[in-house]
Structures are given as structure tokens and as C-alpha cells.
């Protein structure tokens, strides 16, 4: 059984909630866990759970973010579910986050760009998630940056704390890259007060992490337990 958990995204400077990220997890004998490989989640399951979840969301916030990898972007059923979710949630905005997961096939930008433009034409925003890792390295996203409204950098992907000088340099690089291209920059993986203070010192307003709120389960109707 699959469900979405929601985690808050904050504007620290204005002390305001700007949105939620939907994080898919699978119920196992050990509890709720992220899928080992998101590409293994059937497209019909993603579509069904996404639409059922968005029907429950009537949150007075700016946006709800949803992660897809390149394989899922190429899947028509998943794309149609995302578009349906935007229709349900309007005027709340869906942000489609393209993850760093390594796809089964090397999809060229020429195939990705028109599909991303379709989302934008439906009123959605496009985000590049976990930049600097996986297939979201700088040279692999250059053609996608002009379509983006947002870039995210995840500290936890590097297995180090923000106070590590190398990680701090990476954060500064992507922060400045975002400013240069007039993109929102969200720093993920803020886990404690020290991370929070260092993010303050780097003038990063938009943040996400356990320090501000752990993902919580969105319960669906009993008849949706088949998903």
C-alpha cells in the first residue's frame, strides 16, 4: 500500500508556510518507508494515489510539490494524473519536482522539454530537485533551467552537515546560480538549530527539513486501501 506524506516548506524570514511537498511511502512490516526505487512503483498506483490525495487537500497555502523522475515524466498516465491534480487543486499551484534518480533510459532534453512545457501551460511550476546529485548535475540540466521556477539543494544527499565547508560551498554555488537565473532556491535537510543558524548566515529564506516539521501521513478514505 502506498500513501503520500506531507512535509512543510517555509519562508524563514517572513515566518510563513509557503507549501507542502508530497512524499510517497510504502507500508511495510517495518512501517512506512520510501520505495527502494521509485521507478518500480506502478504508474497506475502513482496516478490513483495522487488524485485521491489531492482531493483531500484544501490547504490555504501557495503550492503542493510532487516528485517525479524522468521515467515517470515519460509515462502518459502519470502526466495525466498530475494535470488532473492541478485541476482539482486550483487555485493552489502544483509544483512538479524533477528528481535526480537515474532513469532506465537516457531521455534526451528534446523529449523532456515539451512535456514540462505542458505542465507549465496548465499553470504549474517546474522545479529541479536535489541539484548537484544523480542526473541533476549542472551539465545535465542546462536545457531545463529556462523552464524552471525553482531549484532545490538537499544537504542530506551528501551525508554531511551544512557546517562542513565543502557542503557550504555547494550550497553557496546553487544559491548564487538560482539568483542569477531568477529562481526560487529551497534548502532541504535542515535538521537542527545549528543548520538553521547557518542557513540564516547564508541568507537562505526558503527551507525544508525535520527541524521545521517531519512528514506526516495523509489518510485516504477506507475504500482507497487498494492503492
Amino acid at each position: 500500500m502506498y500513501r503520500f506524506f506531507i512535509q512543510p516548506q517555509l519562508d524563514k524570514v517572513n515566518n510563513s508556510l509557503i507549501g507542502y511537498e508530497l512524499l510517497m511511502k510504502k507500508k511495510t512490516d517495518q512501517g512506512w518507508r520510501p520505495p527502494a526505487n521509485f521507478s518500480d512503483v506502478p504508474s497506475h498506483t502513482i496516478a490513483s494515489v495522487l488524485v485521491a490525495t489531492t482531493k483531500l487537500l484544501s490547504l490555504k497555502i501557495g503550492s503542493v510539490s510532487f516528485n517525479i523522475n524522468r521515467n515517470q515524466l515519460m509515462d502518459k498516465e502519470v502526466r495525466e494524473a498530475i494535470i488532473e491534480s492541478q485541476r482539482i487543486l486550483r487555485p493552489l499551484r502544483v509544483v512538479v519536482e524533477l528528481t535526480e534518480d537515474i532513469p532506465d533510459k537516457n531521455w534526451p532534453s528534446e523529449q523532456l522539454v515539451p512535456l514540462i512545457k505542458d505542465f507549465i501551460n496548465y499553470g504549474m511550476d517546474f522545479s529541479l530537485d536535489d541539484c548537484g546529485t544523480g542526473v541533476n548535475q549542472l551539465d545535465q540540466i542546462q536545457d531545463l533551467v529556462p523552464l524552471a521556477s525553482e531549484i532545490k539543494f538537499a544537504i542530506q544527499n551528501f551525508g554531511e552537515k551544512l557546517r562542513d565547508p565543502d557542503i557550504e560551498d555547494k550550497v553557496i554555488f546553487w544559491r548564487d546560480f538560482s539568483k542569477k537565473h531568477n529562481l526560487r532556491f529551497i534548502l532541504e535537510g535542515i535538521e537542527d538549530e545549528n543548520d538553521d543558524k547557518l542557513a540564516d548566515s547564508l541568507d537562505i529564506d526558503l527551507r525544508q527539513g525535520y527541524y521545521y516539521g517531519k512528514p506526516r501521513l495523509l489518510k485516504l478514505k477506507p475504500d482507497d486501501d487498494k492503492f
Side-chain angles (χ1 to χ4, degrees), residues 84-96:
E84 174 66 7
S85 295
Q86 177 62 88
R87 186 191 66 79
I88 293 169
L89 288 169
R90 200 178 305 278
L92 188 147
R93 186 180 68 260
V94 170
V95 180
V96 180

Side-chain angles (χ1 to χ4, degrees), residues 24-202:
M24 178 167 274
K25 296 189 178 185
K26 182 180 182 180
K27 192 171 187 180
T28 71
D29 293 339
Q30 293 75 41
W32 291 97
R33 298 289 186 271
N37 188 336
F38 283 92
S39 293
D40 293 338
V41 183
S43 58
H44 176 72
T45 298
I46 296 172
S48 299
V49 179
L50 178 60
V51 172
T53 299
T54 51
K55 285 180 179 178
L56 296 177
L57 293 173
S58 56
L59 306 167
K60 294 181 179 179
I61 55 174
S63 66
V64 169
S65 299
F66 172 70
N67 294 324
I68 59 172
N69 57 36
R70 283 159 173 78
N71 292 333
Q72 292 159 346
L73 175 59
M74 298 303 299
D75 190 303
K76 183 179 179 182
E77 187 173 20
V78 173
R79 295 197 307 272
E80 288 178 346
I82 295 172
I83 290 170
E84 174 66 7
S85 295
Q86 177 62 88
R87 186 191 66 79
I88 293 169
L89 288 169
R90 200 178 305 278
L92 188 147
R93 186 180 68 260
V94 170
V95 180
V96 180
E97 297 187 12
L98 188 66
T99 70
E100 79 287 4
D101 296 346
I102 298 173
D104 298 335
K105 177 181 176 181
N106 185 22
W107 302 102
S109 297
E110 291 77 11
Q111 288 184 271
L112 302 178
V113 166
L115 305 179
I116 296 168
K117 285 183 176 178
D118 283 345
F119 290 147
I120 295 171
N121 290 338
Y122 275 95
M124 302 181 220
D125 280 358
F126 173 62
S127 172
L128 289 161
D129 192 25
D130 295 354
C131 286
T133 60
V135 291
N136 279 352
Q137 303 290 342
L138 182 60
D139 62 334
Q140 295 168 297
I141 62 171
Q142 289 285 8
D143 293 337
L144 306 180
V145 169
L147 302 175
S149 300
E150 173 184 284
I151 276 179
K152 301 181 77 175
F153 182 89
I155 304 168
Q156 68 270 21
N157 286 347
F158 294 89
E160 300 288 346
K161 303 298 289 183
L162 179 54
R163 51 187 168 270
D164 181 284
D166 291 338
I167 302 303
E168 186 173 329
D169 287 345
K170 290 181 173 68
V171 172
I172 291 170
F173 171 82
W174 287 107
R175 180 201 66 185
D176 292 349
F177 181 88
S178 300
K179 286 181 179 179
K180 179 181 177 181
H181 292 87
N182 297 312
L183 306 175
R184 293 189 302 272
F185 178 69
I186 297 182
L187 184 64
E188 299 179 277
I190 307 294
E191 295 185 351
D192 55 35
E193 186 176 359
N194 289 326
D195 290 344
D196 183 61
K197 288 180 178 178
L198 277 164
D200 285 344
S201 71
L202 296 174

